[in-house]
Amino acid sequence: MIIVIRSQARNEERAQLMALLGQVSGNQRPIATAKIGEREVIALDGNALDIQTRTIISQQSAVERIVPIKTPYKLASRAFKAESSTVVVGDVLGGHPVMIGGAAPVIMAGPCAVESKEQLLTTARAVKAAGAQILRGGAFKPRTSPYQFQGLAVEGLQLLAEARAETGLPVITEVMEPEMVETVARYADMLQIGSRNMQNFPLLRAAGQNSHGRPIMLKRGLAATIEEWLLAAEYIIAAGNPNVILCERGIRSFDSQTRNLLDLSCVPLLHELTHLPIIVDPSHATGRRELVPTMSRASIAAGAEGLILEVHPDPNSALCDGRQSITPAQLQSIVSEASLIAQLLGQTARLPYVA
Ligand code: PEP
Ligand code: MN
């Protein structure tokens, strides 16, 4: 359940409520306090509480109301927050702010990995010229083999900051370790938690606590259910950062013709279950650049709030994921098609289904 705190509640009233919650939960069950918009809320699993206890809680002077939530994820649920969330990227480090979840789809694009200054700046200029709004680029790369290129680490972060300074594009990059969240947040406008780390709970908590409120794009795990994914998002929100964006990037399947299986049905399904914005990554989902334009169109038609795409000036020489990287010219067509499709469909494609 979620307890909404009265906006005028005094500290003593809050403390009294917290003491009561500690008592009724035997101090065994974690309780999350969070700020959602202007509202202060407390989330907990209320399933084990009897009606009498719930009534006592609801009568506390600090409590405005209680919202019962049946799903195991609470703060991420549409049952808690009916209106879709928007997330602003790039308003603090000098980039042009971009709103995810507004009327227009947001396109993030750039190389899988930051390889060199020249490669990144050439790509960043091309990404901007193609009309995309956010630059992507991995500085810390989670590679399957320890013998593959692992990324330029902090030097890569510095290059991303340089690319932002030149182009005005906010940047997104992956963070792999809890201890690195602060450092990455110093350089990046948005942090990515990759598929392989979707259930790295210490990392999720650190992203909630130490990211200075930078938006977190949480990619779906390689074989994660929707519920596991939403619970991973819940970890970040419960730890203190409500600016979470989900990213569908394909899930494991049996057919090796594509790298993964793009689960586009998750987009309208998530719009029913959660208020969080949803981005699709057709690059990792398909693993083949020739499929990326079509699946980009389909993603926007399914109601995605945006796309993240791998782009390289010379895909065949990319140090990472060249096979799925498109050229800047292809990006330009995707950006204009995405905008046309979104205009054609309007908001309806992104609203939860009503029977
Ligand atoms: C990436 O975005 O380059 C990446 C490694 O993605 P994923 O975590 O989806 O595999
Ligand atoms: Mn990649």
Side-chain angles (χ1 to χ4, degrees), residues 1-2 32 34-36 41-44 69 71-85 218 226-239 241-246 269-278:
M1 68 191 200
I2 289 181
K35 221 158 173 210
I36 306 290
V41 299
I42 299 176
L44 67 153
I69 311 272
T71 52
Y73 45 90
K74 313 288 177 194
L75 299 164
S77 72
R78 181 74 81 174
F80 164 57
K81 185 169 179 279
E83 67 283 7
S84 300
S85 289
L218 178 65
I226 303 272
E227 189 167 290
E228 287 163 343
W229 189 11
L230 288 172
L231 280 167
E234 185 84 9
Y235 262 87
I236 303 171
I237 305 171
N241 186 347
N243 302 316
V244 179
I245 296 136
L246 301 167
L269 180 55
L270 284 166
H271 281 143
E272 273 191 68
L273 301 176
T274 181
H275 53 87
L276 301 174
I278 300 134

